[in-house]
Amino acid sequence: MAECIGGLSPAKILVSTKTTLRLSSTLPSTVKIRLCKLTTPPFSSSSRRVTVASSNQYPEPPFISASSHKDEILKAIKGSLGNCLSETNLHLTVPGLTSKTRGKVRDIYESGDEYLVLVTTDRQSAFDRVLASIPFKGQVLNETSLWWFQKTQHIAPNAVVLAPDKNVTISKKCSIFPVEFVVRGYVTGSTDTSLWTVYKKGVRNYCGNALPDGLVKNQKLSANILTPTTKAADHDVPVTPDEIIECGLMTKGDYDEVSHKALSLFEYGQRVALEHGLILVDSKYEFGKGSDGTILLVDEVHTPDSSRYWIAQSYKENFQNGLEPENVDKEFLRLWFKEYCNPYEDEVLPDAPEELVSELSWRYIFLFETITGCRFSIPSTEVPIHDRISHNVSKALSSLSDKRLDWLLTFSSLSLQDQDSGRVYSCVDLYLVTQDGYSFKAKYKFQPYFYAATKDKMEMDVEAYLRRRYENDITDIEIVEKEDLDLQLMQVGNELLRVVERNQSKFDAAGAYDSILSGKR
């Protein structure tokens, strides 16, 4: 019988600064690189450092001057103004989904005891109410969040399980902390809880943060601050850390851990945004506890809904001249409603002009493309949005519940072309046999990746270099922490080789014996 080795993870290719990074053109798909920040970096003092542009030389966002691209997107936006995803009813179309919860933007469904299905709609909220529906907004938020969730796993683990649809994320069920963690780097904003609103009213201690006199609107703070809020009826209420603990909203240990994660997430987000010519001004984070007690990042991260972004190139000049920064978020929509109505008290609000709605949709797409470096994929209209989502969610939930234990006989590598995009992916064919003797083949798509070791605090510099140097070969770069990059590849390889040789000799002997018995020899 064939031998097998348990507990082995797939081997990973290592790249250090002492080797030359070569990405083979024969790979059937582009490569993903994982930057590893080591506790004890294995570099000598003579290791060559990567030189990058100074961080105060802000790059122009790559799509900002692409007028033809913007025209193409705006045409698609205007053609979809009457086809927004404003409401979902998956509990009526997907078996097993129950208990729909309608948030301002997301519709949330329960799937058994383990999962939540989060559908990001095109609803636009501000001032604690829904203002309009924005074409493609749900897709932008979902895909932007997924990009950031993957990028920030080294700071905070998240609840994401999978994303079966452009508008959908399936996540682990969590016990959500009743506190939103808002981190701010600038004195700005127009809502009742924004820092500039309370500051100009004379408040000098906000959520436990002492604020100096003399600050002006849109000024950068000397350090990022945390301004938590909690829900009361239909609006956010600022709270101090002491109030959070005294009211039993969180334990001190949980608060300390989450506040540290929120500040670290924001600092990392600022660095990434600045690399792409943007300023991350402020952002909101939500956290929960998984079934094992792990604190997880949930909901969304660094989207134009939860965050405020400015164009870095023009910020300094605009600020010095008393002008508003160029924003890439929903702030201009907030300002329009404040000018034409009282969005907090008026029962009926005016309809936002189509030009305003189209511009907001473009800005959201622009932000996604600028941050991720990927072109936005306009969804097909052949299948109605709700039907598409229902089908994809049903299929995903079925795969999550269909857990099987099979035996792997062998596998072979191959390439697979996506029929929609034409892109070629790396795959393996897995040849398996069930416990009752039934054999079958399964195809598994994967993305090859390298590990690249970096010095502490050099991750962003190395990432910037790799993206420029291998622009067409790298699909993604993920930062992970590892204490040791010695994965004992040679040991694993030699051990596997010995098993293969022993198995092969057994099969050869059995084949020869069968041949003798059958008279073929």
Side-chain angles (χ1 to χ4, degrees), residues 405-453:
L405 178 62
D406 303 307
W407 295 90
L408 176 64
L409 293 175
T410 186
F411 64 90
S412 61
S413 61
L414 71 158
S415 302
L416 180 67
Q417 186 171 24
D418 187 287
Q419 295 181 349
D420 295 329
S421 65
R423 186 174 180 178
V424 179
Y425 293 93
S426 295
C427 294
V428 290
D429 272 342
L430 304 174
Y431 298 87
L432 304 108
V433 61
T434 63
Q435 297 188 55
D436 58 6
Y438 172 73
S439 61
F440 66 98
K441 182 178 74 172
K443 199 178 299 292
Y444 176 73
K445 184 173 71 176
F446 70 95
Q447 190 176 50
Y449 61 88
F450 293 90
Y451 270 130

Side-chain angles (χ1 to χ4, degrees), residues 172-232:
K172 302 172 186 174
K173 276 190 177 180
C174 297
S175 176
I176 305 298
F177 295 117
V179 177
E180 293 182 347
F181 287 77
V182 183
V183 185
R184 306 179 188 274
Y186 292 77
V187 187
T188 192
S190 59
T191 64
D192 285 352
T193 57
S194 71
L195 191 54
W196 174 245
T197 300
V198 298
Y199 186 84
K200 70 180 180 180
K201 292 179 179 178
V203 175
R204 292 298 179 269
N205 193 301
Y206 189 52
C207 299
N209 300 285
L211 302 171
D213 290 329
L215 297 178
V216 298
K217 189 180 182 185
N218 302 325
Q219 181 176 345
K220 181 177 174 61
L221 294 167
S222 59
N224 296 328
I225 63 172
L226 185 63
T227 60
T229 64
T230 187
K231 294 290 184 182

Side-chain angles (χ1 to χ4, degrees), residues 119-411:
V119 184
T120 309
T121 71
D122 296 330
R123 298 192 295 264
Q124 180 66 58
S125 72
F127 308 108
D128 297 313
R129 64 194 298 178
V130 175
L131 301 179
S133 290
I134 311 297
F136 311 134
K137 181 203 165 190
Q139 178 181 338
V140 169
L141 294 188
N142 195 53
E143 293 184 343
T144 302
S145 276
L146 290 169
W147 189 87
W148 279 109
F149 274 131
Q150 184 181 31
K151 288 289 186 181
T152 57
Q153 290 182 85
H154 65 292
I155 300 173
N158 58 69
V160 175
V161 176
L162 57 88
D165 185 88
K166 298 175 184 294
N167 289 68
V168 180
T169 295
I170 297 178
S171 72
K172 302 172 186 174
K173 276 190 177 180
C174 297
S175 176
I176 305 298
F177 295 117
V179 177
E180 293 182 347
F181 287 77
V182 183
V183 185
R184 306 179 188 274
Y186 292 77
V187 187
T188 192
S190 59
T191 64
D192 285 352
T193 57
S194 71
L195 191 54
W196 174 245
T197 300
V198 298
Y199 186 84
K200 70 180 180 180
K201 292 179 179 178
V203 175
R204 292 298 179 269
N205 193 301
Y206 189 52
C207 299
N209 300 285
L211 302 171
D213 290 329
L215 297 178
V216 298
K217 189 180 182 185
N218 302 325
Q219 181 176 345
K220 181 177 174 61
L221 294 167
S222 59
N224 296 328
I225 63 172
L226 185 63
T227 60
T229 64
T230 187
K231 294 290 184 182
D234 295 324
H235 62 282
D236 298 335
V237 177
V239 290
T240 66
D242 289 341
E243 289 171 337
I244 291 172
I245 296 166
E246 289 169 3
C247 294
L249 300 177
M250 299 178 70
T251 66
K252 186 179 187 306
D254 286 344
Y255 176 82
D256 290 343
E257 180 177 348
V258 170
S259 60
H260 174 73
K261 289 182 185 297
L263 288 166
S264 298
L265 286 166
F266 187 71
E267 180 185 357
Y268 176 76
Q270 285 185 309
R271 290 161 58 194
V272 173
L274 200 58
E275 259 200 359
H276 295 83
L278 299 172
I279 295 173
L280 179 60
V281 179
D282 48 47
S283 192
K284 169 184 71 70
Y285 307 97
E286 294 188 45
F287 295 85
K289 268 193 176 182
S291 57
D292 61 353
T294 302
I295 292 179
L296 302 172
L297 181 63
V298 302
D299 195 45
E300 62 182 327
V301 57
H302 296 161
T303 69
D305 255 21
S306 65
S307 310
R308 201 185 313 265
Y309 286 92
W310 294 338
I311 302 295
Q313 268 193 336
S314 58
Y315 164 72
K316 185 176 180 180
E317 181 179 352
N318 283 9
F319 178 72
Q320 291 175 341
N321 293 327
L323 302 175
E324 285 295 310
E326 292 183 89
N327 63 73
V328 197
D329 50 54
K330 60 184 179 183
E331 181 64 15
F332 79 99
L333 184 71
R334 291 191 189 104
L335 295 175
W336 185 89
F337 275 96
K338 288 197 75 173
E339 181 178 354
Y340 289 97
C341 64
N342 185 334
Y344 284 110
E345 297 180 5
D346 291 354
E347 185 175 343
V348 179
L349 301 182
D351 292 332
E354 287 189 1
E355 293 77 11
L356 200 70
V357 170
S358 298
E359 176 63 24
L360 182 58
S361 179
W362 157 248
R363 291 191 188 195
Y364 273 38
I365 293 171
F366 164 78
L367 178 67
F368 166 80
E369 294 184 330
T370 301
I371 286 290
T372 67
C374 301
R375 289 289 177 120
F376 181 73
S377 175
I378 301 295
S380 170
T381 57
E382 292 181 5
V383 179
I385 301 175
H386 198 280
D387 291 350
R388 184 199 76 203
I389 291 175
S390 297
H391 170 76
N392 290 337
V393 171
S394 296
K395 186 176 178 181
L397 292 177
S398 176
S399 68
L400 287 173
S401 62
D402 185 20
K403 297 179 180 179
R404 304 172 53 168
L405 178 62
D406 303 307
W407 295 90
L408 176 64
L409 293 175
T410 186
F411 64 90

